[in-house]
Amino acid sequence: MTTTLYDRCAQDAAASVITAYSTSFALACRLLGPRVRTHVRSVYALVRVADEIVDGAAEQAHVPAATQRLLLDEFEAETLTAIARGFSTNLIVHAFALAARECGIDAELIRPFFASMRTDLTRTEHDAQSHDAYVYGSAEVVGLMCLQVFVNAGRAVPTAPTPDLVDGARRLGAAFQDVNFLRDRADDRGRLGRDYLGIDDDESRDAVLARIESDLDVAALAIPRLPADCRRAVTTAHGLFAELAHRLRDDDRDEVRVSVPTPVKATIAARAIARRPPRRSAS
């Protein structure tokens, strides 16, 4: 596929979004092979912008909820149109469309993502069923979009990933989301008035952590079966969230947002570069 100057500008814009918003994700992305790195950044940039519509910049600009919904609907429509058309005047959407067209990311993955984003405008408390539906759309499908890139970047015709890789991608996405829910509980409740996990005692908190660890363990089994140029990055991302889960077990203070110190991040990345296996909950 020929890359134009406009394409490169769009992809550079997506990369700048990711670098600005997440040092951990930027670190993992640097470990991806060049075949997939640009498209993965483009996927996450689109996700980040959509999240800002419902959680961040739009709210800070005092955009009413009804207008946020309209903006989100327009963003989804522009994304789907750009994939069909092959062009968007929105640089982030254009970069995503390039990845989607090459790698087979279609409406079956895109629509559930935007559905979950819309949920944030209407629902503040979740039960088990709504939690699972939200996590599928907000996180598992993002893992599946990245998997489409891992398997198909550079191919003339996209192919479907194997079921074991699909399960691993979904479980890893779910673990990432639940870790973020757990470490952001105080902000979600205080600033946004939302409760994603329904934790009301130590037992229910332990159950969430057990689910996270189970998801991470299943994902760890799938990582070695990914294409070789993706394994170091995914192992690093897995390791960072496994470390967060471990620290959340040791520190249950909701008012303190648990993080991974930079030297520990570097050690996790070094283990991945050295081709050490993904961390399991028992290790």
Side-chain angles (χ1 to χ4, degrees), residues 225-255:
R225 295 192 282 275
L226 289 171
D229 57 355
C230 307
R231 292 175 200 152
R232 293 185 306 173
V234 180
T235 299
T236 298
H238 178 282
L240 290 170
F241 277 83
E243 179 64 23
L244 284 169
H246 176 73
R247 289 170 181 263
L248 285 163
R249 274 218 179 270
D250 288 345
D251 189 342
D252 61 0
R253 295 173 297 165
D254 285 349
E255 68 274 11

Side-chain angles (χ1 to χ4, degrees), residues 150-208:
F150 296 160
V151 171
N152 291 309
R155 285 181 179 266
V157 178
T159 187
T162 59
D164 61 316
L165 291 181
V166 168
D167 187 43
R170 289 186 61 178
R171 298 288 287 269
L172 190 59
F176 287 0
Q177 186 66 290
D178 275 341
V179 165
N180 284 330
F181 286 160
L182 198 52
R183 69 200 289 244
D184 291 336
R185 279 181 72 211
D187 183 61
D188 285 342
R189 288 199 308 261
R191 183 173 64 88
L192 301 173
R194 296 184 195 146
D195 182 2
Y196 293 100
L197 296 173
I199 292 174
D200 52 19
D201 55 25
D202 289 344
E203 185 176 347
S204 56
R205 187 178 187 276
D206 286 345
V208 170

Side-chain angles (χ1 to χ4, degrees), residues 11-156:
Q11 291 166 336
D12 288 346
S16 69
V17 169
I18 293 310
T19 300
Y21 273 93
S22 175
T23 56
S24 295
F25 182 74
L27 169 64
C29 263
R30 286 196 294 272
L31 298 178
L32 287 167
R35 178 182 68 89
V36 297
R37 185 185 305 124
T38 297
H39 283 338
V40 169
R41 284 172 171 162
S42 298
V43 168
Y44 271 92
L46 185 98
V47 168
R48 185 69 257 175
V49 172
D51 192 59
E52 285 293 335
I53 293 173
V54 298
D55 276 353
E59 180 189 33
Q60 291 161 12
H62 308 294
V63 175
T67 306
Q68 291 176 37
R69 168 65 187 259
L70 177 62
L71 289 170
L72 196 62
D73 290 348
E74 291 174 345
F75 195 48
E76 178 182 15
E78 175 62 20
T79 299
L80 295 170
T81 299
I83 294 170
R85 183 183 290 156
F87 179 81
S88 174
T89 57
N90 181 317
L91 288 174
I92 300 305
V93 172
H94 184 80
F96 178 85
L98 292 173
R101 285 165 66 90
E102 181 175 323
C103 301
I105 300 170
D106 59 18
E108 187 175 343
L109 297 179
I110 294 166
R111 291 196 184 282
F113 169 72
F114 281 97
S116 282
M117 293 299 97
R118 274 188 284 274
T119 300
D120 278 335
L121 298 174
T122 59
R123 185 160 192 155
T124 57
E125 294 188 4
H126 287 267
D127 56 23
Q129 183 176 0
S130 67
H131 164 273
D132 291 350
Y134 181 89
V135 169
Y136 174 74
S138 65
E140 292 180 34
V141 297
V142 178
L144 293 174
M145 291 178 195
C146 290
L147 181 59
Q148 289 293 124
V149 174
F150 296 160
V151 171
N152 291 309
R155 285 181 179 266

